[in-house]
Amino acid sequence: MMKIAVVGAGAVGAYHGIRLAQAGHETHFLLRSDYEAVRERGGFEIRDRGKTSVVPVLAHRSPEEIGACDLVLIALKTTANAQFPKLLPPLVGAGTTLLTLQNGLGNVEALGALFGAENVVGGLCYVTINRLAPGVVENFGATRLWLGEGDGGAPRERTRALAEMFCAAGLPAEAKTSLEETLWKKLCWNIPFNGLAIAGGDIACDALLASPELVELSWKLMREIQAAARARGCEISDEHLKKQFEVTERCGAYLPSSLLDYRAGRDVEIESIWGEPLRRGTAAGVPMPRLETLYLLLHSLCRKKRGVPAA
Amino acid sequence: MMKIAVVGAGAVGAYHGIRLAQAGHETHFLLRSDYEAVRERGGFEIRDRGKTSVVPVLAHRSPEEIGACDLVLIALKTTANAQFPKLLPPLVGAGTTLLTLQNGLGNVEALGALFGAENVVGGLCYVTINRLAPGVVENFGATRLWLGEGDGGAPRERTRALAEMFCAAGLPAEAKTSLEETLWKKLCWNIPFNGLAIAGGDIACDALLASPELVELSWKLMREIQAAARARGCEISDEHLKKQFEVTERCGAYLPSSLLDYRAGRDVEIESIWGEPLRRGTAAGVPMPRLETLYLLLHSLCRKKRGVPAA
């Protein structure tokens, strides 16, 4: 059994932490806005395919209360990554592994710079989880988790063991050879569909697919991503691109998470989803002018929505 | 004195037609939604720098009533260009000159295809005119009109004479050597500022300039326009690009005309301002991916705003 800290208890962090706690791991949650609700209720409330239960957890308000762990699971929004140096050091000891389940690119690098790339594992999860209220999460279906080394190498024994631990806790997981390839593949969905749901005028996925111009633009954005990934040594097939549209077809009036953030006037994860891929592709010599246009528009639209002045 | 038909009596058409009528030309207006108001009032009401007057005009509902003219002044919105074959032939005789004062690219070509490029003059006007209500226009300042040959050649005698006629009517006008260069130069303003006022989230010019991302994107759009114009043999200086920002600085909370159309749910002149420059630049071998992105977004945003389904 491991000592685990969960940092960032949105839907993804809470759900994975809850399952690990249920599997018997000593699982500590670093909470802020959910702290009171979780303490009052005596744990997280989880609704999983119709069944509601309360799972008792160890809730904390500061990382110092938790101390060094075997595993630190990071599921903060990437807009909070500047808080890593304040939040994480008390949780990290000699043998600690840091696992980020955050969106987009740049997260393993930010953690690696602070704690050594060899101690960082990146994870990418496909989930159908919502956070309904403070301390309440709902899961609709199966989840899938892919893990890969933060330093880009083949999966270490430690990472394979983590995948097994998740599997044993009811969270199907797999260690992948290239984390970055996995992340680029996910971005083939996030960049066009999260982005154009906002820039296309605050629209759901079905409205996006009903617009021939936005479908054309999605394709052209995906081609830029494909070229950038290739320049970074990551191959993305045309099949994979086509599949993104098929998957989205089945999403109906689904609202991408960035659109929900946008609508609520919350920070949108612009840098990890659009900014870092743009910088990485451009640095690799691949022009990404459509991504750049979308990136600049999103910054401006989100700032306007939040009513904050330009920096 | 000439026999003139004015087709399209928005702000630009009405104002120029009124001045020509006042100068003694036999000026006929082909009206639709303004017809009743103009007939009731006995003419157009014009407010010019504080002074209000009613100018009697010859108002018509069909081009057949007017018949062949010496000059047909076309100021329709370019979204109505498909109506040329229905509206214009009754107005055109052996010696008729067609002058388009419409926005963007493609208008002289559309007219040239119907009536011969040698009979078409393109005009570009800088104005501060509003249409306040049916049959009522207001002018705030000085206007400027540049004329050029529809077939791209040096100004013919006929075009110089037209410029003189406008000058004599109190409308400063000049015959230019390259109409297309003049139009590209105007597009350096229209493409970024009209476009990003809509795609940037329905914002006025001052809010656009307050966004560093939209300023950056405006610059990059202008660079694409500059490159496309160059490939077409039209030189646009960096000075000219810089000047567009200075001019806009002085506009304050000005709402570009396309934004007004967008807000009111009217057709936006997408093809002449964004579509045709994109096609022309691309055909000349110049990639314009940022313009393309903006063009696709505008189509989708405007259709959504008007609540019409995709074709």
Side-chain angles (χ1 to χ4, degrees):
Chain A
M1 292 297 116
M2 293 183 113
K3 181 180 176 185
I4 300 171
V6 177
V7 181
V12 164
Y15 184 74
H16 287 83
I18 288 166
R19 289 280 174 255
L20 294 171
Q22 287 184 308
H25 297 285
E26 182 189 326
T27 311
H28 301 263
F29 288 78
L30 181 61
L31 301 175
R32 222 172 30 178
S33 57
D34 289 32
Y35 182 82
E36 297 297 342
V38 169
R39 287 301 288 254
E40 262 175 40
R41 195 181 282 114
F44 272 97
E45 181 177 322
I46 173 160
R47 305 183 191 173
D48 203 340
R49 283 161 279 192
K51 224 180 89 190
T52 300
S53 48
V54 172
V55 178
V57 302
L58 303 163
H60 304 272
R61 273 212 254 233
S62 82
E64 288 79 8
E65 284 173 44
I66 303 173
C69 294
D70 302 311
L71 174 68
V72 180
L73 195 158
I74 296 146
L76 284 172
K77 273 180 70 181
T78 55
T79 49
N81 281 6
Q83 295 178 36
F84 283 167
K86 200 179 69 188
L87 292 180
L88 301 182
L91 307 171
V92 178
T96 304
T97 297
L98 297 110
L99 167 62
T100 164
L101 298 183
Q102 299 169 287
N103 277 324
L105 295 176
N107 304 306
V108 292
E109 290 77 4
L111 291 167
L114 292 167
F115 305 106
E118 69 283 8
N119 298 313
V120 178
V121 177
L124 186 143
C125 51
Y126 287 90
V127 297
T128 49
I129 309 173
N130 283 328
R131 175 181 177 278
L132 300 179
V136 184
V137 293
E138 178 163 29
N139 176 41
F140 296 99
T143 63
R144 209 159 31 130
L145 179 59
W146 290 341
L147 303 178
E149 296 300 331
D151 60 8
R156 290 182 173 78
E157 184 46 40
R158 171 265 330 257
T159 303
R160 299 195 177 282
L162 276 182
E164 279 170 36
M165 179 194 73
F166 278 109
C167 288
L171 298 163
E174 199 181 329
K176 285 272 178 184
T177 13
S178 168
L179 174 66
E180 185 167 333
E181 183 174 304
T182 307
L183 294 173
W184 279 112
K185 282 183 174 170
K186 179 90 185 280
L187 288 169
C188 290
W189 198 91
N190 282 337
I191 285 176
F193 294 112
N194 278 26
L196 297 179
I198 297 174
D202 190 343
I203 53 173
C205 284
D206 54 352
L208 200 161
L209 289 185
S211 163
E213 294 87 8
L214 297 183
V215 167
E216 181 181 342
L217 190 48
S218 296
W219 267 107
K220 288 181 169 166
L221 284 163
M222 286 185 196
R223 292 290 181 198
E224 291 187 357
I225 302 163
Q226 189 182 39
R230 180 169 299 149
R232 299 272 305 176
C234 306
E235 205 54 42
I236 299 177
S237 68
D238 287 358
E239 269 312 302
H240 179 77
L241 303 188
K242 224 182 289 175
K243 206 179 142 192
Q244 305 311 304
F245 288 95
E246 293 163 14
V247 167
T248 313
E249 205 69 74
R250 293 195 294 271
C251 286
Y254 177 70
L255 304 174
S257 62
S258 297
L259 180 63
L260 293 177
D261 283 340
Y262 172 77
R263 281 193 179 175
R266 291 189 298 261
D267 261 333
V268 172
E269 298 182 300
I270 298 179
E271 291 307 326
S272 65
I273 300 180
W274 296 275
E276 187 59 24
L278 172 62
R279 287 186 286 273
R280 214 167 277 197
T282 308
V286 176
M288 306 183 84
R290 293 170 190 84
L291 173 56
E292 184 193 51
T293 302
L294 182 55
Y295 167 74
L296 292 171
L297 280 174
L298 288 174
H299 259 301
S300 200
L301 288 168
C302 292
R303 203 173 45 234
K304 179 184 175 237
K305 185 77 174 183
R306 303 181 62 215
V308 297
Chain B
M1 292 296 118
M2 293 183 111
K3 180 179 177 187
I4 300 172
V6 177
V7 181
V12 164
Y15 185 73
H16 286 82
I18 289 166
R19 289 281 174 254
L20 293 171
Q22 287 183 308
H25 297 285
E26 183 190 325
T27 310
H28 300 263
F29 289 78
L30 181 60
L31 301 174
R32 221 171 31 176
S33 57
D34 289 32
Y35 182 81
E36 297 297 342
V38 168
R39 287 300 288 253
E40 263 175 40
R41 196 182 284 112
F44 272 98
E45 180 177 323
I46 173 159
R47 305 183 191 173
D48 203 340
R49 283 159 278 193
K51 224 180 88 192
T52 300
S53 47
V54 172
V55 179
V57 303
L58 303 162
H60 305 271
R61 273 212 253 233
S62 82
E64 287 79 8
E65 285 173 42
I66 303 173
C69 294
D70 302 311
L71 175 68
V72 180
L73 195 159
I74 297 146
L76 285 171
K77 275 180 68 182
T78 56
T79 49
N81 282 7
Q83 295 178 38
F84 283 168
K86 201 181 66 187
L87 293 181
L88 301 182
L91 306 172
V92 179
T96 304
T97 298
L98 297 111
L99 167 61
T100 163
L101 299 182
Q102 300 170 286
N103 277 323
L105 294 177
N107 304 307
V108 291
E109 291 78 3
L111 290 168
L114 292 168
F115 305 106
E118 69 283 6
N119 299 313
V120 179
V121 177
L124 186 143
C125 50
Y126 287 91
V127 296
T128 49
I129 309 173
N130 284 329
R131 176 181 177 278
L132 300 179
V136 184
V137 293
E138 179 164 29
N139 176 41
F140 296 100
T143 64
R144 208 160 29 129
L145 178 60
W146 290 341
L147 303 178
E149 296 300 330
D151 60 8
R156 290 181 172 78
E157 185 45 43
R158 172 263 332 258
T159 303
R160 299 195 179 282
L162 277 182
E164 279 170 37
M165 177 194 71
F166 279 109
C167 288
L171 298 163
E174 199 181 329
K176 286 272 178 185
T177 13
S178 168
L179 174 65
E180 184 166 334
E181 184 175 305
T182 307
L183 293 173
W184 279 111
K185 282 183 173 170
K186 179 90 185 282
L187 288 168
C188 290
W189 198 91
N190 281 337
I191 285 176
F193 294 112
N194 279 26
L196 297 178
I198 298 173
D202 190 344
I203 53 173
C205 284
D206 54 351
L208 201 162
L209 289 183
S211 163
E213 294 87 7
L214 296 184
V215 168
E216 181 181 341
L217 190 48
S218 296
W219 266 107
K220 288 180 169 166
L221 284 163
M222 286 184 197
R223 291 290 181 200
E224 291 187 357
I225 301 163
Q226 189 183 38
R230 180 170 299 148
R232 299 272 305 176
C234 305
E235 205 54 42
I236 299 177
S237 68
D238 287 359
E239 269 313 302
H240 179 77
L241 303 188
K242 225 183 287 174
K243 206 179 142 193
Q244 304 312 303
F245 289 96
E246 293 162 13
V247 167
T248 313
E249 205 66 78
R250 294 195 294 271
C251 286
Y254 177 70
L255 305 174
S257 63
S258 297
L259 181 63
L260 293 177
D261 283 339
Y262 172 78
R263 281 193 180 175
R266 291 189 297 261
D267 260 334
V268 172
E269 298 182 299
I270 299 179
E271 291 308 326
S272 65
I273 300 181
W274 296 274
E276 187 59 24
L278 171 62
R279 287 185 287 272
R280 215 167 275 198
T282 309
V286 176
M288 306 183 84
R290 293 169 189 85
L291 174 56
E292 184 193 51
T293 302
L294 182 56
Y295 167 74
L296 292 171
L297 281 173
L298 287 174
H299 259 301
S300 200
L301 288 167
C302 292
R303 202 172 45 234
K304 179 184 175 237
K305 185 76 174 185
R306 303 181 62 215
V308 296

